[in-house]
Amino acid sequence: MYQLDFSNPIHVHFIGIGGISMSGLAEILLKAHFKISGSDAKSSDIIDNLISMGAIINIGQSAGNITDNIDLVVYTAAVHEDNPEYAECVRRKLPMLTRAQLLGQIMNNYKYSIAVSGTHGKTTTTSMLSQIFMEADTNPTISVGGILDSIGGNVRVGQSDYFVTEACEYTNSYHALFPYISIILNVDADHLDFFSGIDEIIESFHTFATNLPDNGHLIINGDMDCLDRVTRELNCNIVTFGISDKNNYYPVNIEADNNGHMNYTLVVNGKEQERIHLNIGGTHNITNSLSAIAAADILGIPREYVLTGLASFGGAHRRFELKGTLGNVTVIDDYAHHPTEIKATLSTAINTPHNELWVIFQPHTYTRTKALFEEFADALKGFDHVILVDIYAAREKDTGLVHAKDLAERIKELGTDARYFSSFDAVENYLLKNCKKNDLLITMGAGDVYLIGEELLGK
């Protein structure tokens, strides 16, 4: 594998530079005086920001974008051999790294690197940790899979030994990371276009855990049925967190305030400690916060900064994000695109003041929708009104085996008001006529469904 020499900046080209993670890595290298170029399918605010920092970026991908002065090429899991730039790099025999391999090499420059993994909750937990580090004035480097207001974007380049990032299991990319602390929030069946099933996913997380050094730390959800399988034969230190009192870190006296925000008393190794006040809702965010507290304790960050960091964290963008109000209807946007995430968002919504709950759900990928069809229907039936729009293909092609209207019909069979619309305009017109005073409206999915809420709000 090609090894970067960070004391000798070179020209690095990113295929797919506009992605939330790729753009963050490009910014880190730009600030380390590397020459950066790249390409993406469409322009965005993220790309405009990179250009303002000196990156040379082409909209559209072609072999002509691969110039003679490129020293190294970085690409994402979404780039395949038929990509014209990838094919040209192979023809020229240019050194190439995956996004995860580059991230791993960057992380190796930091003494206290933290990788946050799990099927759900990575962005929120990484953001919580980032907020704690910022409160403690540790000057961290941060790479997060969402926009975080406290750092003004998705990346922050610091000048200390602290580095925190998300670690994604898709295509086993996190196997290229060798952190000091790993967090495993949960292990669930997802990315079934790559994994054969839950057993392979569990083994993947086990392999990720083995990357920790003997003096490293694994912070893991101790309530998982697969705990022993993930942690078997590990030599590192292991700390557990969860809702049950069998864990090292767990909550008692859980309450939701009038805004639906969660509060609890922290218990560490059987001893009650401070009262934790979160600025976000959902039981799942209690467990997320417990893992962040455990990481902060390992690093010796005073608890006062943990308390203020968690209390001031209002969520990352697209994570139960308040977009505004339309008349007396509250509009929320959420990134949930897996049944477990939908149920977590529903639990948050139920604790948020409302009359009726509306959700506009955009399924993400045909593979996931087909594989978890019944689970999606079961999760969505808990809302009062469900609107389905077309499946967001992302990296896939339409198989013809599943359609969003099939899911709407199944939810209707389960007794919940559900309907399918073929256009965003039709959804907006229906909502304007049918949403009532004090209703809560959630746009949900990992695609572009958020545009419906923004259009309704006149943004």
Side-chain angles (χ1 to χ4, degrees), residues 322-342:
L322 174 62
K323 301 292 287 189
T325 56
L326 178 67
N328 290 304
V329 177
T330 300
V331 181
I332 299 287
D333 181 56
D334 196 86
Y335 195 71
H337 55 283
H338 183 282
T340 301
E341 296 167 353
I342 293 171

Side-chain angles (χ1 to χ4, degrees), residues 104-223:
Q105 291 194 28
I106 290 174
M107 286 179 68
N108 290 339
N109 292 322
Y110 297 84
K111 182 177 180 180
Y112 302 118
S113 58
I114 304 175
V116 181
S117 75
T119 316
H120 325 289
K122 292 184 290 293
T123 296
T124 296
T125 305
T126 303
S127 299
M128 285 178 171
L129 272 168
S130 300
Q131 199 82 26
I132 291 168
F133 284 168
M134 296 292 287
E135 288 288 337
D137 199 25
T138 60
N139 198 6
T141 296
I142 298 164
S143 178
V144 62
I147 304 302
L148 185 59
D149 288 336
S150 63
I151 63 173
N154 63 313
V155 66
R156 180 188 190 276
V157 180
Q159 301 294 325
S160 73
D161 286 332
Y162 294 94
F163 184 98
V164 58
T165 186
E166 294 183 32
C168 182
E169 73 274 15
Y170 184 57
T171 68
N172 289 325
S173 64
Y174 58 175
H175 291 174
L177 310 182
F178 295 84
Y180 175 64
I181 296 174
S182 289
I183 295 175
I184 298 180
L185 297 167
N186 38 63
V187 177
D188 212 341
D190 198 12
H191 298 304
L192 298 175
D193 57 328
F194 177 75
F195 293 111
S196 61
I198 188 62
D199 287 336
E200 187 178 1
I201 295 170
I202 291 169
E203 288 306 308
S204 175
F205 276 93
H206 170 67
T207 299
F208 169 63
T210 64
N211 284 357
L212 287 161
D214 289 354
N215 69 334
H217 301 265
L218 175 64
I219 301 170
I220 186 167
N221 187 333
D223 292 335

Side-chain angles (χ1 to χ4, degrees), residues 44-62:
S44 66
D45 292 342
I46 287 175
I47 285 177
D48 290 343
N49 179 59
L50 289 173
I51 291 173
S52 72
M53 295 175 62
I56 301 170
I57 300 175
N58 292 295
I59 302 304
Q61 296 177 337
S62 68

Side-chain angles (χ1 to χ4, degrees), residues 315-386:
H317 288 222
R318 302 218 61 203
R319 275 68 180 178
F320 210 80
E321 178 187 4
L322 174 62
K323 301 292 287 189
T325 56
L326 178 67
N328 290 304
V329 177
T330 300
V331 181
I332 299 287
D333 181 56
D334 196 86
Y335 195 71
H337 55 283
H338 183 282
T340 301
E341 296 167 353
I342 293 171
K343 287 183 177 181
T345 299
L346 175 60
S347 72
T348 304
I350 288 172
N351 284 310
T352 302
H354 68 276
N355 178 26
E356 291 189 324
L357 288 177
W358 293 75
V359 64
I360 307 131
F361 181 59
Q362 181 183 48
H364 191 264
T365 76
Y366 300 100
T367 302
R368 182 183 286 117
T369 307
K370 179 66 175 176
L372 302 174
F373 186 86
E374 288 297 329
E375 290 87 344
F376 275 118
D378 181 65
L380 288 163
K381 73 179 183 183
F383 291 87
D384 296 308
H385 307 279
V386 181

Side-chain angles (χ1 to χ4, degrees), residues 10-14 17 26 29-30 34-38 54-56:
I10 58 174
H11 181 176
V12 182
H13 181 84
F14 288 77
I17 197 168
L29 292 187
L30 274 167
F34 283 71
K35 180 178 180 180
I36 300 299
S37 63
I56 301 170

